[in-house]
Amino acid sequence: MESQNKEVDALVQKITGLHAAISKLPSLSPCPDVNALFTDLVTACVPPSPVDVTKLGPEAQGMREGLIRLCSEAEGKLEAHYSDMLAAFDNPLDHLGMFPYYSNYINLSKLEYELLARYVPGGIAPARVAFIGSGPLPFSSFVLAARHLPDTVFDNYDLCAAANDRASKLFRADKGVGSRMSFHTADVADLRGELAAYDVVFLAALVGMAAEEKAKVIAHLGAHMADGAALVVRSAHGARGFLYPIVDPEDIGRGGFEVLAVCHPDDDVVNSVIIARKSNDVHADGLQNGRERHARGTAPVVSPPCRFGEMVADLTKKREEFANAEVAF
């Protein structure tokens, strides 16, 4: 226990130092200094760790919340930068591999599809999917549409009109997947009747960054999604909770869903994945019934085999890719 405490203290000290350095940057737009600091941050956070970030003291919690917001801002700027670069090509979809973390999206989307296929009763063959928080690089929707759901229509929602404009330009030359993609500027809190049309709803990790905000979004989805529809929530686990918000499965249960599976990858897929299904009787019995159902059953936790050696090699490769791409900034 003492050795674990020392390990956690050392990690928190390292993350605190990186947070301080990132906070002093004049801009979070992609550049060598920004890339180096965030690569160091990811390298520190992705290995397995005994840290439970939800139990940190108030000062460390405040640092973590600020760091997640900085990560969100930097991620948005990075994606906007690469979206503009890709849009300069005649067919942007032929060049998605330029983005240093594209392979992560491939692996994450594959994991999400496999979890849906395995744990949603009756399998998964959705006619319509909503992705909430799709951003300027809607890689997840593209990978799912191109590789796993060839007949599904995708509606992508984001608060930022500029992000949707960038995203739509990536599909302008594609008559296949592009014909099944649409982009909408909206706050999820303003979506009501639309949500009932979807067989699956994906909730991006950075939609609702504080726990209370995330729980409120999930409860809103639970009030308006169709009975039996699936919800895919991206979360985080261990030290990865310094990068993304952690979602409590009980909050999903309280939101009117039955939690079917929880997956904490320990490889280069940074996000955890929670698969849930809209409770059939939420309208009749209210959210209390969803809370009781979740309490009665424990969702299976699925942990893919550890590929730590490959993960470190992948991070090293990404650092090199950033260094080689510096001329583009």
Side-chain angles (χ1 to χ4, degrees), residues 6-308:
K6 288 182 178 179
E7 181 181 348
V8 169
D9 289 344
L11 176 64
V12 172
Q13 185 176 359
K14 181 178 180 63
I15 300 300
T16 300
L18 287 167
H19 171 255
I22 292 169
S23 299
K24 293 176 182 176
L25 291 168
S27 169
L28 294 179
S29 295
C31 70
D33 288 344
V34 171
N35 297 341
L37 282 171
F38 278 99
T39 301
D40 287 346
L41 178 63
V42 173
T43 303
C45 291
V46 291
S49 169
V51 67
D52 183 347
V53 300
T54 64
K55 296 180 179 179
L56 296 174
E59 185 176 350
Q61 284 289 3
M63 177 275 294
R64 172 181 169 255
E65 291 171 5
L67 182 59
I68 289 175
R69 294 187 184 279
L70 289 171
C71 288
S72 174
E73 182 181 347
E75 185 173 307
K77 290 181 180 297
L78 180 69
E79 290 190 359
H81 173 82
Y82 274 93
S83 187
D84 290 341
M85 288 178 61
L86 289 166
F89 292 98
D90 291 337
N91 191 342
L93 299 184
D94 290 340
H95 304 274
L96 299 183
M98 290 178 60
F99 187 69
Y101 297 103
Y102 180 54
S103 62
N104 294 42
Y105 284 92
I106 292 175
N107 294 333
L108 174 57
S109 297
K110 179 175 183 290
L111 173 63
E112 290 171 330
Y113 172 76
E114 290 175 347
L115 290 171
L116 283 167
R118 181 175 181 180
Y119 290 103
V120 173
I124 190 73
R128 299 189 72 88
V129 164
F131 197 100
I132 311 295
S134 49
L137 280 180
F139 284 146
S140 296
S141 291
F142 170 74
V143 172
L144 287 164
R147 299 185 177 218
H148 305 294
L149 299 171
D151 300 314
T152 302
V153 173
F154 286 77
D155 287 330
N156 299 279
Y157 292 92
D158 200 279
L159 272 173
C160 179
N164 285 326
D165 183 59
R166 284 185 165 101
S168 63
K169 289 178 181 177
L170 302 180
F171 294 89
R172 67 180 185 276
D174 188 275
K175 305 303 181 185
V177 173
S179 66
R180 295 186 283 124
M181 290 283 169
S182 62
F183 298 91
H184 311 273
T185 301
D187 187 327
V188 62
D190 295 327
L191 302 178
R192 289 178 172 79
E194 303 96 322
L195 293 170
Y198 301 113
D199 304 296
V200 183
V201 174
F202 287 79
L203 184 62
L206 294 171
V207 175
M209 286 187 279
E212 297 79 8
E213 295 172 357
K214 186 78 72 173
K216 186 176 181 180
V217 169
I218 291 169
H220 179 78
L221 294 174
H224 297 286
M225 284 173 57
D227 293 343
L231 175 66
V232 182
V233 179
R234 293 179 178 177
S235 180
H237 183 68
R240 300 170 185 215
F242 287 109
L243 304 173
Y244 291 102
I246 291 177
V247 182
D248 187 343
E250 291 190 4
D251 283 338
I252 298 177
R254 282 188 284 267
F257 295 89
E258 177 186 5
V259 178
L260 304 175
V262 179
C263 180
H264 300 307
D266 52 14
D267 55 14
D268 58 315
V269 175
V270 176
N271 289 115
S272 297
V273 178
I274 303 173
I275 304 295
R277 182 178 60 168
K278 171 69 178 296
S279 299
N280 291 330
D281 51 1
V282 66
H283 295 300
D285 299 325
L287 299 183
Q288 176 66 28
N289 189 279
R291 182 186 299 112
E292 291 173 350
R293 176 180 287 104
H294 178 76
R296 287 200 299 268
T298 301
V301 177
V302 184
S303 297
C306 180
R307 296 194 295 108
F308 180 60

